[in-house]
């Protein structure tokens, strides 16, 4: 027994080692080739080609999808093959593949043929009318190539409604592989109650010069993603990075040089002169700057989770640049889940080592919080939205078996790997080797100007990082919430690098000013000032929803703002960890170079 149709990316193949995939009966003449971990289907003449019906839903609400046969469409006469999920990513994305029942054979033309009839009673007519009013589109697949069609249309007055009843398929082939599929909807029939509507289809095969590796190029939109404004935004962000890095380097090096000179001069004074002199600046808090942060358990868990999110983002972008993940349904999500599970030691290492350096003793509790912080946030949001999806009978409702699979990944993969990372972090870099001794009694924090307060620094710290990425956010949002396929991962890598540099520069400047005001509460300030980028991203998502989309309804609204909150929070945790790690290296460096009596 072989699978009817398998298309695995390497992460999906590894997930297959943990979870079983339903095996379907394959036709005798099917040939499967394994190329770099992916299975590619080849056909022989007259061999069956399966047309899978996927979902149907309103055009403006891309995530509000339902099973294709939730509308009263009829099925072809051919024996059903059943529906199945190929990967975990497809199951989470609500992909429902159901056999259309249409008889299609490789290189075998089919003239217009009626395959079923719809008995249009009042209930079925009302269902079609509702779908037409809300601009319902449906999606199908032939050999992993997506096809979209519209259910019907209304007349200009909105009084009469018409259903497209004729699916005209034109399939291109190159050798023994399918490289192109086009659908033309014809046969407009008025919806009249208590009548019968005949559904028909035809298939036209044509030879194509498109290479199999390039067959997804027609779904891409170079004019949108490679528009001049996209290049300009990258160039603008890059120039901002150069300016910011140069400005930060000049200010800090010049200011620190003066600070070092002043402190060296103070060291040559006698005690009376030093006491009569002005004591101010970042050196005065050397006995408190390495004091453990407040709430070290939560803080170290956030830093560990942020480092893991950064590692996942970097690896997934690199994989997406090498492999065309957009050609496989759910492959991006499956890859992200696999990489997140595999990088769990990163979370444990950085979170566990930081907690140990800050004198934490409840390391097992810290490990559990660090391991389940992000999964709990994502799963909690997903399960909340899942109740709404179940109420709407949407295909986005996550099956119970998929929930069990995700929980198994959390408990049997993520948690043990996080434990390994925590043990390594505590033993390899868990010793508090600070360059300055920490005073037993905390130094009182003097009053300072309002704009030097940590709350103000936190609010202003995320403006520049957000400014470096907000143009790219538009393209990412459009690819996810509209009908665009994101494929320019080189741009995304550049934006990630720019974001990291800008975040580190901003947090270093904020921390220097804070320490110079003799306020040693820099740990949370550096984290939150960088993490405040998420607030601006979430605010931008409101603008995008109301001014760039035509989404509506409870389901789509809750789906949009729920997952945008998850995305923004994860981005904020990642930026906060990046800002803290860069600032920590800066603080350690400047206090190492100062002679402390």
């Amino acid at each position: 027994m072989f699978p009817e149709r398998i298309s695995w990316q390497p992460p999906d193949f590894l997930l297959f080692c943990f979870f079983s995939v339903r095996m379907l009966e394959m036709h005798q003449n099917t040939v499967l080739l394994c190329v770099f971990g992916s299975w590619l289907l080849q056909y022989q003449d007259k061999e069956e080609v399966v047309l899978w019906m996927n979902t149907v839903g309103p055009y403006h609400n891309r995530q509000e999808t339902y099973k294709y046969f939730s509308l009263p469409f009829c099925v072809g006469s051919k024996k059903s093959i059943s529906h199945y999920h190929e990967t975990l990513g497809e199951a989470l994305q609500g992909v429902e593949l159901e056999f259309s029942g249409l008889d299609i054979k490789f290189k075998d033309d089919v003239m217009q043929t009626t395959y079923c009839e719809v008995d249009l009673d009042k209930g079925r007519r009302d269902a079609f009318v509702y779908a037409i009013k809300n601009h319902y589109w449906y999606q199908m697949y032939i050999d992993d190539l997506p096809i979209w069609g519209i259910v019907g249309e209304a007349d200009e007055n909105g009084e009469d409604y018409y259903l497209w009843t004729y699916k005209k398929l034109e399939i291109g082939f190159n050798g023994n592989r399918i490289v192109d599929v086009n659908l033309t909807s014809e046969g407009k029939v008025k919806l009249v109650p208590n009548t019968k509507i005949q559904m028909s289809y035809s298939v036209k095969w044509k030879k194509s010069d498109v290479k199999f590796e390039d067959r997804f190029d027609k779904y891409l939109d170079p004019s949108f993603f490679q528009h001049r404004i996209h290049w300009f935004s990258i160039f603008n962000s890059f120039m901002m990075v150069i300016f910011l890095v140069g400005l930060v380097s000049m200010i800090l090096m010049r200011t620190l040089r003066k600070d070092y000179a002043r402190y060296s001069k103070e060291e040559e004074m006698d005690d009376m002169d030093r006491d009569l002199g002005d004591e101010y600046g970042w050196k005065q808090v050397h006995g408190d700057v390495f004091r453990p942060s407040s709430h070290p358990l939560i803080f170290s868990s956030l830093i560990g989770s942020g480092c893991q999110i950064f590692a996942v983002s970097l690896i997934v972008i690199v994989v997406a640049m090498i492999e065309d993940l957009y050609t496989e349904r759910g492959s991006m999500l499956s890859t992200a889940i696999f990489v997140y599970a595999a990088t769990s030691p990163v979370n444990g290492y950085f979170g566990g080592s930081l907690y140990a350096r800050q004198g934490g003793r409840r390391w097992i509790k810290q490990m559990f919080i660090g391991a389940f912080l992000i999964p709990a946030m994502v799963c909690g949001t997903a399960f909340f939205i899942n109740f709404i999806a179940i109420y709407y009978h949407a295909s986005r409702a996550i099956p119970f078996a998929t929930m069990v699979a995700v929980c198994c990944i959390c408990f049997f993969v993520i948690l043990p790997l996080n434990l390994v990372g925590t043990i390594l972090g505590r033993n390899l870099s868990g010793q508090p080797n600070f360059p300055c001794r920490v005073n037993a009694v905390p130094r009182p924090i003097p009053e300072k100007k309002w704009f030097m307060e940590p709350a103000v620094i936190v609010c202003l710290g995320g403006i520049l990082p957000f400014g470096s990425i907000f143009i790219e956010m538009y393209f990412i949002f459009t690819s996810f919430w509209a009908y665009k396929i994101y494929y320019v991962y080189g741009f995304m890598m550049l934006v990630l690098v720019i974001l990291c540099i800008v975040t580190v520069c901003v947090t270093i400047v904020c921390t220097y000013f804070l320490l110079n005001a003799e306020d040693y509460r820099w740990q949370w300030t550096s984290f939150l000032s960088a993490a405040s980028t998420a607030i601006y991203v979430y605010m931008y998502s409101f603008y995008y929803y109301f001014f760039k989309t035509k989404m509506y309804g409870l389901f789509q609204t809750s789906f949009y703002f729920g997952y945008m909150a998850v995305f923004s929070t994860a981005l904020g945790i990642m930026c906060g960890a990046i800002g803290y790690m860069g600032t920590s290296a800066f603080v350690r460096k400047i206090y190492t170079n100062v002679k402390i009596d």
Side-chain angles (χ1 to χ4, degrees), residues 98-118:
E98 298 179 285
F99 184 46
S100 62
L102 302 185
D103 189 12
I104 302 175
K105 292 182 171 59
F106 190 67
K107 295 183 182 179
D108 188 10
D109 291 345
V110 178
M111 302 300 293
Q112 183 173 356
T113 304
T114 300
Y115 62 88
C116 67
E117 286 187 347
V118 177

Side-chain angles (χ1 to χ4, degrees), residues 18-84:
F18 297 102
F19 308 103
S20 61
V21 178
R22 183 181 300 179
M23 305 299 284
L24 302 175
E25 185 175 357
M26 185 188 73
H27 299 282
Q28 296 179 354
N29 296 328
T30 302
V31 179
L32 289 174
L33 296 179
C34 183
V35 181
F36 299 108
S38 298
W39 295 90
L40 306 178
L41 184 60
Q42 295 188 356
Y43 297 91
Q44 296 182 5
D45 293 352
K46 304 294 183 180
E47 182 182 348
E48 181 182 12
V49 176
V50 180
L51 174 64
W52 297 99
M53 315 308 291
N54 183 22
T55 54
V56 64
Y59 176 79
H60 297 296
N61 290 355
R62 183 181 177 184
Q63 279 67 36
E64 184 183 344
T65 56
Y66 307 91
K67 295 181 180 180
Y68 176 82
F69 291 108
S70 62
L71 284 180
F73 289 114
C74 53
V75 187
S77 59
K78 194 169 180 62
K79 183 180 178 181
S80 177
I81 294 180
S82 179
H83 72 282
Y84 65 98

Side-chain angles (χ1 to χ4, degrees), residues 339-355:
V339 173
Y340 185 86
T343 55
S344 295
V346 175
N347 188 336
Y349 183 88
F350 287 99
S353 61
L354 178 60
Y355 187 63

Side-chain angles (χ1 to χ4, degrees), residues 14 19 57 59 167 188 206 244 266-267 331 369 445 465 483-484 486 529 540:
L14 293 176
F19 308 103
Y59 176 79
K167 294 180 176 63
K188 187 167 65 173
K206 66 173 184 177
L244 187 60
E266 288 179 359
E267 291 170 2
S331 60
I369 293 177
I445 300 174
Y483 296 89
K484 299 288 184 182
Y486 192 93
S529 62
Y540 177 74

Side-chain angles (χ1 to χ4, degrees), residues 8 29 70 83 85 108 115 119 123 149 158 195 230 297 330 368 373 395 405 408-409 453 457 471 474 502 522 566 584:
W8 284 333
N29 296 328
S70 62
H83 72 282
H85 299 298
D108 188 10
Y115 62 88
D119 190 2
T195 58
H230 202 174
L297 191 146
F368 272 94
L373 182 64
S395 64
C408 289
I409 293 176
E453 292 292 336
I457 294 175
I471 295 294
Y474 171 75
V502 173
W522 65 273
V566 171
S584 178

Side-chain angles (χ1 to χ4, degrees), residues 182-196:
N182 291 301
L183 170 67
T184 304
S185 298
E186 297 181 358
K188 187 167 65 173
V189 175
K190 185 178 179 180
L191 294 175
V192 179
N194 302 320
T195 58
K196 292 184 180 294

